[in-house]
Amino acid sequence: MSFARVALVTVPLVLFLGIVSGAVAGSGSSNPWFASLAKPAAMPPDWAFPVAWTLLYVLIGLALAMILAARGASGRGIGVGLFAAQFALNLAWSPVFFAGHRIGAAFAIILLMILLTVATILAFARVRSRAALLMLPYLAWICFAAWLNHSIEALNPAAATLAPAQSSAQVQL
C-alpha cells in the first residue's frame, strides 16, 4: 500500500474525528461555561486553536500514514496501537472538559495523553524517523494545553458550579 493512498484516508479521517469531537463538545469561546472562566494571561487568541489543531491533525495523520504504509516493519503494530490509544484520549478530552465541565479529569486525560504520545513517538522512531518528527509539534502543543488546563483549574476552583443547572419539566396532576 503506498503512502499517498494511505494518507488520503488517514489525514482526512484524523482531521474529521478531531473536528467532530470539538464540535460535539461545544469547544471554544462560544461555549458559555468556558467563556465565563478566568483564563491565564498566556491564553492564545480564539482563532489560534482551530488553526493549530488543523495543522496538528494533518501532521499526525501524515505520521500515522507513514507507519501504516511501512508494511512488514518491525514495531509497526505497537506504534499504531499507541497512536490509537493517545488519539482516543485526544478525542475524549474536549467532551470531558467543555461538555462535562470536569477540568481535573480533563487534566488527568491530557497527562496520560502526553505519556502515550511520547511512547508513540518512540515507537514511530523505530519504524520511520520522519513520522516521529511529525509528532513533535503535537507533543509540544499538548504539553502547552496541559499547562493551560492546569492554569484554568487553578484560576477556577469552583468551575463545575458555573454550569447552568439542568432544567426539568414536571407535570403535576
Side-chain angles (χ1 to χ4, degrees), residues 44 48-49 52-53 56 110 136-146 148:
F49 290 94
W53 278 112
L56 294 168
I110 205 165
L136 292 177
Y138 172 71
L139 177 62
W141 183 262
I142 62 174
C143 287
F144 177 63
L148 286 175

Side-chain angles (χ1 to χ4, degrees), residues 12 16 19 23 26 44-45 57-58 67 79-80 93 95 106 114 116 124 141-142 157 169:
F16 174 75
I19 289 169
Y57 284 140
V58 168
I67 300 305
V80 171
W93 185 89
I114 289 168
L116 287 172
F124 277 16
W141 183 262
I142 62 174

Side-chain angles (χ1 to χ4, degrees), residues 23-122:
V24 167
S27 14
S29 61
S30 62
N31 179 310
W33 171 79
F34 182 68
S36 70
L37 298 175
K39 318 284 188 316
M43 186 78 170
D46 295 340
W47 62 264
F49 290 94
V51 171
W53 278 112
T54 298
L55 177 61
L56 294 168
Y57 284 140
V58 168
L59 291 175
I60 69 172
L62 288 169
L64 178 61
M66 285 181 184
I67 300 305
L68 290 172
R71 296 190 74 128
S74 176
R76 177 179 173 255
I78 292 169
V80 171
L82 287 167
F83 181 92
Q86 69 77 29
F87 191 61
L89 290 173
N90 175 298
L91 298 177
W93 185 89
S94 286
V96 170
F97 185 92
F98 287 104
H101 308 160
R102 299 183 59 213
I103 300 175
F107 185 62
I109 288 170
I110 205 165
L111 291 179
L112 186 54
M113 186 179 8
I114 289 168
L115 291 174
L116 287 172
T117 299
V118 169
T120 301
I121 290 168
L122 295 173

